[in-house]
Amino acid sequence: GFAPTFTVTFPNGQERTQTVPFIPDELQTMMSSGAIRFDTPAGLYPDADERRNHQIAVEGLFAPTANFHGTLLTSASPEPNDPYVAIRIYEGDTGLDTGLPQNVYALDKSLIDQGRLQQRAQVNLAEGDSHTLADGTQVRFDGYQRWVSVQVSHDPAQIWVLVSSIAMLGGLLVSLLIRRRRIW
């Protein structure tokens, strides 16, 4: 899959950069979706509640080869020839301070429904493009990295399961082939 890299520049000039894997939704075109959460820099907002209300979250789609139908972004190919992202930028409480586990591929919809996380923009960005919010916060799409998930496993009990299965089938065959006799 692909892991887009985003950089958020806060109004005081401090930057936060993250590369997060997006999960492939369409395996034929590798159109992927995911979410990223950015905490505000220390000292930008002295009050903890105010700091929590200015966190940035980005949720969207990554298309390795962009194909537009109006403003709707789709992917034409799994090869990264013209990478684009279609993102929604949210500002507010992303839930980073709660200590509760979160889905890494999607934002918590209850925070959006409660109004604690508010959508500020919806844009399509090419590699190197950025979008600036009303308060001066800038979100930039820096590029992507490839990732792969590989699992190697060894189960030593497989031999015993095979031997037991053969013994059970053998016992079943013997019970079906031998005539029943009454013994008194």
Side-chain angles (χ1 to χ4, degrees):
F2 296 97
T5 301
F6 291 94
T7 298
V8 173
T9 305
F10 288 92
N12 67 352
Q14 290 185 326
E15 293 183 346
R16 298 276 191 262
T17 301
Q18 286 189 40
T19 302
V20 177
F22 276 26
I23 190 165
D25 295 324
E26 297 177 15
L27 294 178
Q28 292 178 337
T29 62
M30 293 303 287
M31 185 83 157
S32 307
S33 64
I36 303 173
R37 297 158 185 86
F38 294 91
D39 201 1
T40 54
L44 182 60
Y45 300 102
D47 182 33
D49 289 330
E50 188 177 354
R51 180 191 62 76
R52 192 176 302 114
N53 290 330
H54 287 89
Q55 294 172 338
I56 299 294
V58 176
E59 181 178 50
L61 300 171
F62 175 83
T65 301
N67 186 19
F68 288 99
H69 300 284
T71 59
L72 180 65
L73 176 67
T74 61
S75 182
S77 168
E79 289 297 318
N81 297 326
D82 185 22
Y84 260 81
V85 290
I87 58 171
R88 290 184 180 141
I89 304 170
Y90 294 90
E91 185 177 30
D93 184 6
T94 61
L96 289 173
D97 298 339
T98 62
L100 298 174
Q102 295 186 22
N103 183 346
V104 296
Y105 300 113
L107 297 177
D108 187 355
K109 297 300 179 200
S110 67
L111 295 175
I112 296 169
D113 294 340
Q114 294 170 8
R116 294 169 49 194
L117 195 57
Q118 297 177 356
Q119 182 177 334
R120 298 294 185 213
Q122 181 172 331
V123 293
N124 295 330
L125 300 176
E127 194 171 354
D129 287 351
S130 64
H131 181 78
T132 304
L133 301 178
D135 68 350
T137 303
Q138 183 185 54
V139 177
R140 185 176 67 234
F141 172 47
D142 294 329
Y144 64 92
Q145 294 179 1
R146 290 181 176 255
W147 65 270
V148 64
S149 177
V150 178
Q151 179 178 344
V152 178
S153 63
H154 172 68
D155 188 359
Q158 285 181 335
I159 301 294
W160 293 106
V161 171
L162 177 64
V163 169
S164 299
S165 300
I166 291 172
M168 285 189 323
L169 285 175
L172 180 64
L173 283 174
V174 167
S175 71
L176 293 174
L177 296 176
I178 295 179
R179 292 185 88 184
R180 293 177 57 181
R181 301 196 192 274
R182 289 188 184 167
I183 300 175
W184 293 96

